Amino acid sequence: VYAEDPAQQFMPSAGTVLLHRPAAGPGVRFDSGIYSGAEVPVNYDPILGKLITWGETREAALQRMERALRENVVLGVQTGTEYLLDVLAHPAFREGATHTHFLDEHFADWAPSEEATREAALAYAAADHVGVGAPSATPGAGPTAEAHPSPWQTLRGFDSARTR
């Protein structure tokens, strides 16, 4: 899952993650370092996380992936979730008939549906209305960078303050 806009040639989408609710459940794993309030900078790869699903069959894994993509909520930055859902729904992809030109062949003129655009606008408006993503003055009231340190802060040798 990347912070990017597939409708704009996959341009990165920098900004603040206003809300993140990761997908979870049986056969679903989301490896990520993002959290509500995290900043997605312009200087680095815009990857937000790796969503992995497993199933007894390809179809079961695909169904889990569709559910997980719908449940993995990221507000504040553009993601390619709608694009990925459309790829998963394509009959050739469902059959496993993919190749190196699959996306160019089937998704060159892709654009998000009007319904998806409306849903995103409503979600952003609702988040703004209730103050999701606003800094909290109350310790422990919500996720913060301190509660979710980056790997650069926790791995030895990457944080100059910790290695002195």
Side-chain angles (χ1 to χ4, degrees):
V1 177
Y2 278 78
E4 62 187 7
D5 186 353
Q8 298 298 319
Q9 314 246 314
F10 295 92
M11 289 293 294
S13 175
T16 303
V17 175
L18 298 176
L19 175 69
H20 179 236
R21 288 212 181 110
V28 176
R29 177 175 156 178
F30 189 67
D31 292 344
S32 170
I34 67 165
Y35 52 88
S36 298
E39 289 295 320
V40 178
V42 296
N43 329 46
Y44 303 105
D45 188 331
I47 189 168
L48 300 177
K50 181 171 56 173
L51 186 58
I52 306 155
T53 58
W54 177 89
E56 292 286 337
T57 65
R58 177 180 173 81
E59 187 58 33
L62 288 171
Q63 288 174 3
R64 280 186 176 152
M65 181 58 79
E66 287 173 338
R67 180 187 54 80
L69 282 167
R70 292 181 197 288
E71 291 178 359
N72 190 61
V73 176
V74 179
L75 297 181
V77 293
Q78 178 78 28
T79 70
T81 298
E82 188 69 23
Y83 180 83
L84 294 171
L85 286 166
D86 286 349
V87 170
L88 287 174
H90 195 280
F93 187 88
R94 297 303 277 206
E95 294 169 10
T98 59
H99 47 79
T100 56
H101 299 287
F102 178 83
L103 296 177
D104 292 334
E105 188 176 304
H106 298 288
F107 291 93
D109 297 326
W110 181 88
S113 68
E114 287 184 28
E115 180 181 344
T117 302
R118 276 193 305 275
E119 286 176 2
L122 288 172
Y124 288 123
D128 184 56
H129 179 71
V130 298
V132 169
S136 174
T138 309
T144 64
E146 291 78 28
H148 302 280
S150 78
W152 311 118
Q153 294 168 313
T154 58
L155 294 174
R156 184 174 175 87
F158 286 102
D159 181 356
S160 60
R162 296 191 73 192
T163 57
R164 289 185 195 157

